[in-house]
Amino acid sequence: MVDETRNIRRQVLPNGLTVITEEMQHIRSVSIGIWIRSGSRDEDPKWNGISHFIEHMVFKGNKHRTAEDIARQVDSIGGNMDAFTAKECICFNVKVLDEHLPIAMDVLGDLVLNPVFDVQDITRERGVILEEIKMDEDNPDYLVHEIFTQNFWKDHPLGKPILGTKDTVKRFDRDPVIDFYGQRFAPGNLIVCAAGNLQHQQFVDVVAKHFEHMKPMKNGFHSSQPKIVPRIIMRNKKSLEQVQICVGVPSHPIAHERRHASYILNTLLGGGMSSRLFQNIRERQGLVYAIYSDLSPYRDTGCLSVYAGTSRESAGKVVQSIVSEFRKLKVELVSQEELRRAKDQLKGSLMLSLESSTARMSNLARQEMYFEQFYGMDELIEKIEGVTAEELQQLATEFFRTDSIAVTVLGNLNGLKLTRDHLAC
């Protein structure tokens, strides 16, 4: 797995840890990421949210640095350090000037390898996460998506919130945190990835210095494939001014051979201001301020969802207008002009999104996790260009079926009713 034309190199250390680099000699920055190949979907339901909790806890200090030392050292070199937890991974990353790579790797490696998980810090951080959960629950856009996801993949860890719940977070103490950390933060489950002005072998040597002592251990934490439950959920919340709507259908997994057609279909439907949803429901009918579609693919499943915020009086009309757009994509071929516009929009956003070293580093790690090979821009563009109007129609027919449409409606519903008949497409 070496791509000489793009200066991409991959090496696996004897203990199973994967190191990937992309040399970008025209810039002065380096972005480094330490990726754990399991996320919130690989948790036991009893410990829902513990991946995210550990992501927070490693910043609270380790054997060599306090939390303040970590922040000061990164700031002193003008660096930018961040972390996030997703459904299928955890990432710790830092971006610095190329000359500061050894210091950055030392801080980042120390952070991930040597956390102390102090009891008082754990108690404090539980309070912080509980406030974060409350903050998100006060955000109606977030809340409608969370309710939708929990019902779409009902009773499966993929449907559970990344942050956990008030009940699960209150259970986190030192023993389960140390146990979970010990299982997940193992070399076979780690990718160390860097992009920017660096040299591959020098970077591998720096990584090995920090990580070669880790004992080999495989990752066996992948949860089973979820079953999709397309339900209609009406959730009353009188305090909301707007009615929040989420409409979704099952879509393909992330590495599916027809994924490029899925991205074009999503772009056409609700991927920007020229999309059908925006033009027909906001611009022509004036029913919403915000409306968009989103593709959420995972390793073994996926969802294409539409979000809209509207008044209670217009909610039924908005749902029917969304379903009407589904129907049109099934019965009418997309015109060549609209297809050309969607392809150019997708290619443009793809190219622009890969201009920074951080984006390149993330892209390499995701390709390693899901594809085990690195696709170049030319190859991606060729695949996008190869998608036909007939292929999009086939995909729409596969995705948009009346019995597989799931809807969540949240707000002051005041007797609003929605049945499967309203979703006929």
Side-chain angles (χ1 to χ4, degrees):
M1 291 217 349
V2 173
D3 186 334
E4 294 289 358
T5 57
R6 288 192 299 144
N7 294 326
I8 293 172
R9 287 175 177 76
R10 174 185 183 273
Q11 200 165 323
V12 180
L13 300 186
N15 61 8
L17 183 137
T18 304
V19 185
I20 308 167
T21 64
E22 180 173 4
E23 294 180 27
M24 302 165 68
Q25 291 173 352
H26 58 287
I27 61 173
R28 284 296 313 275
S29 69
V30 176
S31 292
I32 308 165
I34 298 176
W35 296 73
I36 290 88
R37 300 175 195 244
S38 49
S40 66
R41 73 167 290 179
D42 304 307
E43 298 165 344
D44 186 303
K46 183 183 172 189
W47 302 112
N48 173 217
I50 200 163
S51 302
H52 174 255
F53 190 76
I54 287 172
E55 176 231 306
H56 275 232
M57 282 306 304
V58 302
F59 284 90
K60 298 299 157 197
N62 52 57
K63 291 170 187 170
H64 308 114
R65 293 173 171 92
T66 65
E68 194 174 342
D69 291 339
I70 294 164
R72 279 189 175 166
Q73 196 155 13
V74 174
D75 284 350
S76 72
I77 55 174
N80 186 11
M81 185 179 270
D82 201 4
F84 65 84
T85 302
K87 299 277 187 184
E88 296 184 332
C89 66
I90 310 170
C91 173
F92 304 90
N93 58 82
V94 65
K95 182 175 183 175
V96 292
L97 288 175
D98 50 14
E99 65 199 73
H100 298 313
L101 187 150
I103 302 170
M105 195 63 236
D106 190 58
V107 174
L108 199 62
D110 202 21
L111 191 88
V112 171
L113 290 172
N114 301 308
V116 289
F117 298 127
D118 180 79
V119 174
Q120 287 181 314
D121 287 338
I122 286 173
T123 305
R124 269 195 299 269
E125 206 56 31
R126 279 202 303 262
V128 171
I129 306 284
L130 290 170
E131 289 306 317
E132 191 178 356
I133 290 170
K134 286 182 206 165
M135 182 181 77
D136 282 344
E137 286 176 351
D138 282 343
N139 176 352
D141 180 353
Y142 168 87
L143 191 57
V144 73
H145 279 101
E146 200 56 67
I147 296 166
F148 175 86
T149 303
Q150 286 181 35
N151 285 284
F152 195 74
W153 288 298
K154 193 163 174 58
D155 299 328
H156 189 277
L158 189 61
K160 305 277 188 227
I162 291 169
L163 300 185
T165 65
K166 292 180 181 115
D167 290 338
T168 59
V169 171
K170 283 173 184 169
R171 285 196 198 107
F172 299 162
D173 55 36
R174 196 163 190 266
D175 287 346
V177 164
I178 287 173
D179 184 46
F180 190 91
Y181 169 84
Q183 291 172 356
R184 298 307 198 273
F185 286 62
N189 204 24
L190 289 178
I191 301 167
V192 182
C193 205
N197 197 353
L198 54 81
Q199 290 187 314
H200 174 75
Q201 197 50 54
Q202 285 179 358
F203 182 72
V204 171
D205 293 345
V206 171
V207 172
K209 188 177 91 176
H210 292 285
F211 289 88
E212 65 188 355
H213 71 279
M214 295 179 84
K215 292 185 173 57
M217 211 167 112
K218 281 285 179 214
N219 168 33
F221 301 106
H222 282 180
S223 58
S224 60
Q225 185 175 352
K227 287 188 172 62
I228 289 164
V229 186
R231 302 172 72 200
I232 298 172
I233 306 292
M234 310 293 283
R235 187 70 61 87
N236 207 41
K237 191 168 183 181
K238 290 186 176 174
S239 60
L240 295 183
E241 291 288 333
Q242 267 196 325
V243 170
Q244 309 288 315
I245 299 166
C246 198
V247 181
V249 295
S251 65
H252 291 145
I254 201 164
H256 195 278
E257 60 187 8
R258 295 171 75 190
R259 62 187 177 276
H260 306 93
S262 300
Y263 283 109
I264 292 175
L265 187 69
N266 177 59
T267 302
L268 280 168
L269 180 64
M273 285 166 51
S274 66
S275 69
R276 293 185 173 194
L277 289 172
F278 193 94
Q279 286 298 315
N280 295 343
I281 300 175
R282 174 178 154 149
E283 297 297 281
R284 293 195 184 102
Q285 296 183 68
L287 296 175
V288 299
Y289 172 71
I291 186 162
Y292 58 85
S293 66
D294 203 15
L295 200 58
S296 305
Y298 298 102
R299 61 175 173 253
D300 52 9
T301 186
C303 177
L304 174 60
S305 62
V306 174
Y307 164 80
T310 189
S311 65
R312 189 214 154 275
E313 296 72 32
S314 301
K317 182 98 184 285
V318 168
V319 171
Q320 288 181 303
S321 296
I322 291 167
V323 172
S324 169
E325 295 304 328
F326 291 174
R327 191 183 307 116
K328 281 182 205 162
L329 284 163
K330 288 167 68 173
V331 299
E332 299 166 14
L333 268 184
V334 173
S335 72
Q336 285 307 305
E337 183 199 350
E338 193 180 9
L339 182 58
R340 175 79 271 139
R341 201 165 58 235
K343 285 180 178 180
D344 288 345
Q345 183 185 340
L346 190 58
K347 288 190 309 190
S349 62
L350 196 62
M351 288 181 196
L352 291 173
S353 72
L354 289 176
E355 286 201 334
S356 74
S357 57
T358 303
R360 293 285 188 98
M361 177 274 292
S362 299
N363 186 47
L364 290 177
R366 291 182 196 282
Q367 295 209 35
E368 167 71 19
M369 279 190 277
Y370 292 110
F371 303 104
E372 295 185 337
Q373 70 180 89
F374 306 117
Y375 291 100
M377 188 58 72
D378 292 344
E379 202 173 345
L380 287 173
I381 287 170
E382 193 181 321
K383 294 281 190 188
I384 290 167
E385 285 295 347
V387 174
T388 64
E390 288 76 16
E391 211 178 328
L392 292 178
Q393 190 175 32
Q394 286 169 7
L395 207 58
T397 304
E398 184 187 339
F399 286 177
F400 304 131
R401 300 200 322 269
T402 303
D403 60 353
S404 65
I405 298 175
V407 183
T408 298
V409 183
L410 170 73
N412 188 1
L413 304 184
N414 197 16
L416 178 70
K417 293 279 190 291
L418 202 60
T419 67
R420 189 63 57 186
D421 294 341
H422 294 115
L423 307 178
C425 72

